[in-house]
Amino acid sequence: MSTFLLLFLVFFPFLSAYFVYPLRRRGREYRNLYIRVIPGVELMAAVLLLAFPGTAVLPQVCGMGLRFEAGSLHTMLAVLSAFLWLMTALPCKEYFADREGVNRYYCSWLMGVFLAADLFTLFVFFEIMSFASYVWVAQNENPGALRAGQTYLAVAVFGGMMLLVGLLMLHHLLGSLIFERMPG
């Protein structure tokens, strides 16, 4: 059960993002209801992790595999972030009432950062978060916002590549990037 919950928490926001655009075509009220329900479902799944701690491994994904873990701090951060996502989704209708092109804002939620069980998984989800953050920086689509977004993305990609080099060196030195196997 914990494996399913962990994978659900990580990938459900990605999968649910595909329905934001078609719902917007039907009408804003459908999209607005949808973006309030999805975080509620995510919060309920995160709360279930309290009863089902465990680990999920996707071997050989991105070359080194992805590992997710539920228990103590991971679960607390997952519940807290899911709660905060729900709290920020509730006023979105009013906050974005006069804005167009906000559908992409709703698609950038990541739980993998909080449930990562190793440094490589944490790196992968931080890099995904960098691309999602670009959307937030460039959201207004004016020249200043687009320039700031390009600068942000360039710095994030360069920093990410340097971090990847460091992680590969650390993996070579320690033999593992899994938190519990690293020397304390």
Side-chain angles (χ1 to χ4, degrees):
M1 179 68 166
S2 65
T3 300
F4 171 77
L5 272 175
L6 284 164
L7 296 177
F8 178 83
L9 280 165
V10 171
F11 295 108
F12 179 65
F14 289 117
L15 297 174
S16 62
Y18 287 106
F19 298 102
V20 172
Y21 289 101
L23 284 172
R24 171 59 177 99
R25 289 187 187 142
R26 298 191 91 208
R28 283 185 181 204
E29 63 277 355
Y30 293 113
R31 182 208 55 205
N32 292 338
L33 177 63
Y34 182 74
I35 62 162
R36 290 177 174 163
V37 169
I38 296 303
V41 171
E42 188 84 352
L43 177 60
M44 288 188 293
V47 169
L48 279 174
L49 277 181
L50 295 168
F52 301 102
T55 303
V57 179
L58 297 173
Q60 300 307 315
V61 174
C62 296
M64 294 181 72
L66 300 177
R67 297 176 58 86
F68 305 101
E69 187 175 329
S72 65
L73 183 61
H74 293 284
T75 303
M76 182 189 73
L77 290 174
V79 170
L80 178 63
S81 66
F83 174 75
L84 292 174
W85 183 24
L86 178 62
M87 293 299 106
T88 58
L90 293 177
C92 278
K93 176 183 173 186
E94 295 79 17
Y95 185 72
F96 290 127
D98 62 339
R99 299 291 226 195
E100 287 298 323
V102 296
N103 290 329
R104 64 186 162 252
Y105 169 80
Y106 302 122
C107 301
S108 42
W109 180 254
L110 296 168
M111 184 65 79
V113 170
F114 304 109
L115 297 172
D118 64 22
L119 285 174
F120 184 73
T121 303
L122 189 64
F123 166 77
V124 168
F125 280 88
F126 264 113
E127 288 305 301
I128 294 170
M129 190 169 56
S130 290
F131 287 109
S133 297
Y134 166 79
V135 172
W136 295 338
V137 172
Q139 178 64 37
N140 290 333
E141 294 183 0
N142 60 39
L146 292 174
R147 190 172 44 256
Q150 289 171 348
T151 302
Y152 173 81
L153 200 54
V155 169
V157 168
F158 179 75
M161 292 299 103
M162 293 299 103
L163 181 57
L164 180 59
V165 169
L167 286 176
L168 292 174
M169 290 169 48
L170 189 62
H171 184 268
H172 178 71
L173 287 172
L174 300 178
S176 177
L177 294 177
I178 299 170
F179 295 136
E180 61 190 33
R181 293 186 193 160
M182 295 173 74

